[in-house]
Amino acid sequence: MDDFRRLALFAEVVRCGSFSAAARHLRVSTSAVSQQVRALEQAHGVTLLHRTTRKLALTEAGARFAEHCRRMVEAAAQARAQLDLARDAPEGELRVAAPVGFARHLGPALAPLLAQHPALELRLLVDDAMIDLVDARIDLALRVGRLADSSWVAQPLCRFEMLLCAAPAYLAHAGEPRTPQELVAHQWVASPREGRLLRLDLLGADGARQAVEAPARVTSNNQLTLQQMCAAGLGLARLVHADVDDELRASRLVPVLPGWRPAAMPVHAVTPQRDGRPAKVRHAIAAIERHLRGVPGVQTG
């Protein structure tokens, strides 16, 4: 390693034309530069420079050697530039994992990024099941809800507002609940991760809190299926406002007990490391954050 440093130092001496000029550029003493060049000559048994009180002159061997040293320094600079490119310019394959419900945001979020950077490729793995991020070589995972313990780094992105919803047809025959306690008597559609009893932590408009446990009659590990089951009239469901905004506008779903809101759901960007994230990951996270700021029912900041 010392030999490589000496080669780079020698190339700088030749470029600058003197020990003193090279020393100023490298921010070391003139004597240190002179000693390193002399050590290089002694190590290889070849005189590289003729030294006089006024100037330095390359020997024939020194001139040939200097050209190779110059190329070595240029190659090292190009290698560093490639690392800087990986750090600053999004390129290569970006592997993203997301749950089904969140995936609908990734197209509009990442389309501008892909349009601006033709060298960037997207590989999207959409699954409500928890996939092995290491085996799948994931660069960025989007996680909604409580995070499991992991060595990966989680960056908060936003919070999804949650709504209690039902199909108008369901409420027409089952009746509309007026209080949190009445929710227990209704059929529920829920994720199996929430267990047989769905726990609802509700916040009232006046700041009051109410916890309710309701039995789930229909379960699915797919968030989109839960929405469809709810819209089909199979029961009440706790759903992400951003996911069902279109259904609410079209009156295929309606809010239930609007004076009480379930706790918002946190959303995290999960990556293998915090420091040294490649540009493709940093730019993707920033693009997703920008998109989410304009989505109804999303709390950012």
Side-chain angles (χ1 to χ4, degrees):
M1 186 62 70
D2 287 343
D3 213 26
F4 283 112
R5 290 197 184 99
R6 286 171 181 159
L7 267 59
L9 182 145
F10 178 70
E12 187 63 18
V13 169
V14 174
R15 189 185 72 82
C16 294
S18 70
F19 288 144
S20 58
R24 285 193 298 272
H25 186 260
L26 297 172
R27 297 184 178 180
V28 296
S29 67
T30 302
S31 61
V33 172
S34 178
Q35 289 170 6
Q36 289 298 315
V37 173
R38 190 173 300 279
L40 186 62
E41 291 176 318
Q42 291 174 346
H44 296 280
V46 177
T47 300
L48 301 173
L49 294 168
H50 292 305
R51 301 160 176 82
T52 68
T53 55
R54 296 191 209 176
K55 64 178 182 178
L56 298 176
L58 286 166
T59 64
E60 182 180 353
R64 290 196 300 269
F65 185 62
E67 178 60 20
H68 290 293
C69 290
R70 181 187 64 77
R71 293 176 184 173
M72 182 201 74
V73 171
E74 288 179 353
Q78 291 172 358
R80 284 193 296 269
Q82 287 300 312
L83 291 178
D84 292 341
L85 188 64
R87 183 193 65 206
D88 300 329
E91 63 176 7
E93 184 181 70
L94 174 65
R95 298 178 67 85
V96 179
V100 173
F102 191 90
R104 66 198 302 267
H105 302 293
L106 293 178
L110 297 179
L113 180 66
L114 291 166
Q116 293 169 11
H117 300 281
L120 182 64
E121 299 176 358
L122 177 63
R123 298 290 179 269
L124 182 57
L125 284 75
V126 179
D127 200 327
D128 282 336
M130 299 296 286
I131 66 173
D132 190 309
L133 302 180
V134 175
D135 285 350
R137 298 185 291 113
I138 297 301
D139 299 302
L140 169 63
L142 287 311
R143 290 287 183 251
V144 180
R146 188 175 63 183
L147 293 173
D149 292 337
S150 170
S151 61
W152 285 47
V153 177
Q155 174 183 330
L157 287 182
C158 65
R159 297 178 70 83
F160 279 161
E161 293 177 3
M162 306 297 291
L163 296 177
L164 302 181
C165 297
Y170 172 83
L171 296 178
H173 75 79
E176 186 170 350
R178 303 294 179 184
T179 68
Q181 290 76 14
E182 292 181 15
L183 294 172
V184 179
H186 282 265
Q187 297 181 25
W188 283 87
V189 178
S191 165
R193 286 182 297 179
E194 295 168 316
R196 297 283 300 183
L197 284 178
L198 172 64
R199 179 181 173 86
L200 300 169
D201 293 310
L202 303 174
L203 179 65
D206 59 356
R209 294 181 180 275
Q210 182 79 47
V212 176
E213 287 187 341
R217 184 183 182 193
V218 178
T219 62
S220 173
N221 66 346
N222 183 288
Q223 187 65 26
L224 180 58
T225 301
L226 292 178
Q227 295 171 211
Q228 293 169 340
M229 294 291 186
C230 183
L234 294 180
L236 307 183
R238 177 178 58 186
L239 300 173
V240 176
H241 184 179
D243 291 348
V244 298
D245 190 60
D246 291 341
E247 282 75 9
L248 293 170
R249 292 177 187 273
S251 298
R252 290 187 291 270
L253 290 174
V254 294
V256 173
L257 214 61
W260 293 84
R261 288 291 185 95
M265 195 79 72
V267 180
H268 292 85
V270 181
T271 57
Q273 70 280 329
R274 185 184 306 277
D275 299 326
R277 282 175 177 169
K280 60 184 180 182
V281 172
R282 289 186 285 106
H283 282 258
I285 292 175
I288 294 168
E289 285 181 312
R290 283 193 298 271
H291 170 74
L292 291 174
R293 293 190 194 109
V295 174
V298 174
Q299 303 170 3
T300 58

